[in-house]
Amino acid sequence: MKFLYICLLAILHLSQGKRVLGPLQSYEAPSSRIIGGQDAAIGSAPYQVSLQQVVGSHSCGGAIINERWVITAGHCVEIYVPAQINVVTGTNRYAEPGAVYQTSEIHLHCMYDQPYMHNDIALLKLTENITFNELTQPIDLPRRPVREGDEIVLTGWGAEEPYGRPQEDLQELALGFVRLDECKEIFNQTTSMGVGHICTFSEAGEGACHGDSGGPLVSNSCLVGLVNWGRPCGQGLPDVQANVYYYLDWIRSVISGNSKCST
Ligand SMILES: *[C@@H]1O[C@H](CO)[C@@H](O)[C@H](O)[C@H]1NC(C)=O
Ligand SMILES: *[C@@H]1O[C@H](CO)[C@@H](O)[C@H](O)[C@H]1NC(C)=O
């Protein structure tokens, strides 16, 4: 029901001429694929996690940034309490966990969705350390902003069609970077996009879709983005992602326990 509410909100905004549709979390159990991608090689994205309210049912992606912390999109966790969020690691098949971890704290960005669709980022603290192995590893945070010419790899279990079910096998897709000014132009200067976002694109028929939300975009072995929103799916428009580089200070302050803004 709550997902439906989010869905209706998005449609409402669309009908009001806001010209955006998102977010891209999965809508129903047994939950949600990248459009136009291919099966990811086993162990090629060891930082990828699946967020599951009911173990076995995928709702959103995320990424491991260290032993205790996972990062995702704000809209993936805003309606939950920590006990409802299971983090599945170490697998290319979300229904066959390598391990399942519980969440002890949700840190939603204090300016999440203010303005609308901005600061869509959250950190999850786990109740125990993640055990690292060949299939389970953290991803480095970026040391520089992503720029034109960088290859970006998106991974996720998101649907092949809008509001569809997740794909059983993790998908991957190579994307290019689209400059923010260009992206804003494409979206007719939407106020739902700003410095906290990056845009990615390859070609029509490819891109993020429902169930990819919160999932990682990696470039030069660093986490550069988290799936935020788009017009589903693969309609020939860029997808809009949280700009991890922009949020580095926020990430570090939350993890060090110095953030004044947490829930
Ligand atoms: C968790 O990992 C951190 C960082 O490596 C370490 O300092 C800490 O002792 C570990 N905690 C437990 C309970 O293993
Ligand atoms: C931007 O506006 C033009 C003209 O109204 C429209 O055709 C186009 O679909 C709009 N772009 C988006 C992404 O909504």
Side-chain angles (χ1 to χ4, degrees), residues 45-176:
Y47 45 82
Q48 172 86 44
V49 303
S50 166
L51 304 185
Q52 307 190 352
Q53 280 69 56
V54 175
V55 176
S57 185
H58 171 82
S59 72
C60 271
I64 301 169
I65 56 176
N66 67 30
E67 292 88 351
R68 222 24 113 94
W69 292 87
V70 162
I71 193 162
T72 185
H75 71 264
C76 287
V77 297
E78 62 166 334
I79 62 171
Y80 299 115
V81 296
Q84 290 173 297
I85 302 175
N86 300 292
V87 178
V88 166
T89 64
T91 185
N92 275 36
R93 298 176 73 98
Y94 69 84
E96 298 169 18
V100 183
Y101 294 94
Q102 262 89 55
T103 304
S104 62
E105 296 171 16
I106 299 171
H107 295 261
L108 188 59
H109 195 285
C110 50
M111 294 294 283
Y112 166 67
D113 215 22
Q114 292 171 35
Y116 180 61
M117 304 288 250
H118 288 249
N119 305 305
D120 189 1
I121 188 165
L123 281 158
L124 304 177
K125 189 176 190 184
L126 307 181
T127 59
E128 60 181 320
N129 280 3
I130 297 173
T131 301
F132 294 146
N133 57 39
E134 223 173 292
L135 302 181
T136 312
Q137 289 289 324
I139 181 79
D140 285 339
L141 293 171
R143 289 172 284 271
R144 63 161 177 83
V146 63
R147 48 189 182 226
E148 275 179 288
D150 286 346
E151 189 185 86
I152 302 171
V153 174
L154 165 68
T155 47
W157 284 281
E160 279 186 285
E161 53 183 21
Y163 309 101
R165 290 164 155 239
Q167 301 208 86
E168 284 175 21
D169 289 294
L170 187 68
Q171 299 292 299
E172 70 173 16
L173 178 63
L175 297 164

Side-chain angles (χ1 to χ4, degrees), residues 18-20 185-188 231 237:
K18 271 219 146 185
R19 306 217 172 265
V20 291
E185 184 71 39
I186 292 167
F187 282 93
N188 295 326
R231 181 161 317 159
L237 295 167

